[in-house]
């Protein structure tokens, strides 16, 4: 039976104090508290800097057996793609404690909107796969030009998962398709803040959105379909 894991895109947010975390809960205990409610979390800090292995070892100690971590690829792997082989090596070494303890879910490689569906970038996906070895990896495209059978075939050949998204239905963005290209099904709920997606003062404003129950219900049949094609489905709230 396919396992479904539900979590949020990160857990260390100061504005969660009093809403999610008790006001008197020390920051060092946030992850432990979070793990009492959820099965998995995305680690987004790794996009900005590669964390030392000891940081992941401490995260393991603060969570129960079976809790999983999805680790976002460093920007040097997805956004700054020149002469970056050393970044991949550092990244693989950093997540090794998670792999050794069976706590590693996958890597989330989120590419920018400017990562277009070109022959050169398809070759880069092959480079990505080669330099990540056998680590399970899911690719999130932001540009709708990637949608299509050519992309899905390539991802399946490379053993890379496809990240499905719910986000504003704006020109050029990824629509809410349900696609599985590896043993992992993956959905990120970014919210539907049309007004702030492109025009905002702070990055978080893009994701400032509260879903209605009927909007989430639209995904139920899609997720059920994905579960039939995968061994594990990750569902993340990033709104």
């Amino acid at each position: 039976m396919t396992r479904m894991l539900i979590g949020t895109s990160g857990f260390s947010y100061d504005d969660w104090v009093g809403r999610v975390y008790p006001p008197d809960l020390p920051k060092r205990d946030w992850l432990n508290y979070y793990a009492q409610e959820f099965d998995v979390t995305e680690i987004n800090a790794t996009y900005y800097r590669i964390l030392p292995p000891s940081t992941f070892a401490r995260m393991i100690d603060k969570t129960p057996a079976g809790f999983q971590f999805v680790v976002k690829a460093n920007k040097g792997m997805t956004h700054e793609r020149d002469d970056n082989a050393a970044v991949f090596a550092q990244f693989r070494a950093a997540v090794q404690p998670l792999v050794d303890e069976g706590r590693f879910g996958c890597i989330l490689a989120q590419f920018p909107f400017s990562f277009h569906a070109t022959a050169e970038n398809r070759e880069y996906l092959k480079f990505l796969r080669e330099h990540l070895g056998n680590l399970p990896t899911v690719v999130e495209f932001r540009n709708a030009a990637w949608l299509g059978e050519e992309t899905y075939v390539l991802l399946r050949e490379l053993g890379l998962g496809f990240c499905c998204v719910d986000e504003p239905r704006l020109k050029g963005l990824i629509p809410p398709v349900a696609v599985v290209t590896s043993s992992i099904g993956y959905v990120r709920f970014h919210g539907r803040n049309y007004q702030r997606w492109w025009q905002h003062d702070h990055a978080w404003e893009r994701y400032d959105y509260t879903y209605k129950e009927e909007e989430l219900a639209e995904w139920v049949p899609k997720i059920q379909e994905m579960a039939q094609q995968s061994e594990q489905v990750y569902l993340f709230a990033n709104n």
Side-chain angles (χ1 to χ4, degrees):
M1 182 176 180
T2 301
R3 185 185 182 194
M4 292 193 186
L5 297 96
I6 299 173
T8 62
S9 298
F11 66 89
S12 184
Y13 300 109
D14 291 337
D15 61 347
W16 282 20
V17 175
R19 300 180 179 186
V20 177
Y21 300 128
D24 58 347
L25 186 70
K27 195 169 186 176
R28 64 178 180 274
D29 295 331
W30 286 3
L31 179 56
N32 178 269
Y33 188 95
Y34 172 96
Q36 295 175 39
E37 299 293 334
F38 297 102
D39 304 309
V40 64
T41 188
E42 287 181 346
I43 302 299
N44 288 312
T46 47
Y47 171 78
Y48 301 99
R49 64 184 180 91
I50 297 177
L51 304 177
S54 58
T55 297
F56 289 111
R58 288 194 296 272
M59 289 181 180
I60 292 170
D61 291 340
K62 292 181 178 182
T63 53
F67 186 90
Q68 291 191 14
F69 296 88
V70 169
V71 187
K72 183 177 283 189
N74 183 261
K75 60 183 178 180
M77 301 155 66
T78 56
H79 289 58
E80 303 162 3
R81 299 180 292 276
D82 295 328
D83 192 24
N84 61 357
V87 178
F88 282 87
Q90 295 168 11
F91 190 91
R92 292 198 310 271
V95 301
Q96 195 58 45
L98 298 177
V99 176
D100 292 342
E101 295 296 326
R103 300 297 206 86
F104 183 75
C106 64
I107 296 167
L108 173 65
Q110 177 189 307
F111 287 93
F113 185 81
S114 59
F115 187 71
H116 298 291
T118 63
E120 179 183 5
N121 287 339
R122 290 188 177 90
E123 287 300 313
Y124 186 80
L125 291 177
K126 297 177 183 179
F127 175 90
L128 178 88
R129 173 76 284 169
E130 177 186 352
H131 284 76
L132 287 176
N134 61 358
L135 291 176
T137 302
V138 171
V139 174
E140 179 178 0
F141 299 109
R142 287 290 171 97
N143 194 308
W146 282 99
L147 294 185
E149 198 59 32
E150 182 180 5
T151 295
Y152 307 148
V153 169
L154 175 62
L155 293 179
R156 291 186 179 107
E157 289 176 350
L158 298 175
L160 296 171
F162 177 86
C163 178
C164 306
V165 294
D166 187 276
E167 59 191 15
R169 272 62 155 186
L170 295 173
K171 183 178 180 180
L173 294 185
I174 303 292
V177 298
V179 176
V180 176
T181 58
S182 74
S183 62
I184 296 174
Y186 206 104
V187 185
R188 300 184 90 203
F189 293 89
H190 293 309
R192 302 179 183 181
N193 193 336
Y194 294 83
Q195 293 78 16
R196 293 291 185 180
W197 190 264
W198 294 124
Q199 298 182 357
H200 49 261
D201 296 322
H202 305 283
W204 61 263
E205 294 179 74
R206 170 180 281 180
Y207 307 104
D208 185 11
Y209 187 82
T210 300
Y211 278 98
K212 298 180 178 67
E213 185 174 346
E214 56 266 28
E215 291 174 333
L216 294 174
E218 296 170 9
W219 275 91
V220 172
K222 298 177 187 290
I223 294 168
Q224 290 173 335
E225 179 183 345
M226 294 171 67
Q228 295 175 5
Q229 304 172 49
S230 57
E231 298 174 5
Q232 202 154 252
V233 177
Y234 294 97
L235 308 171
F236 285 105
N238 189 37
N239 60 302

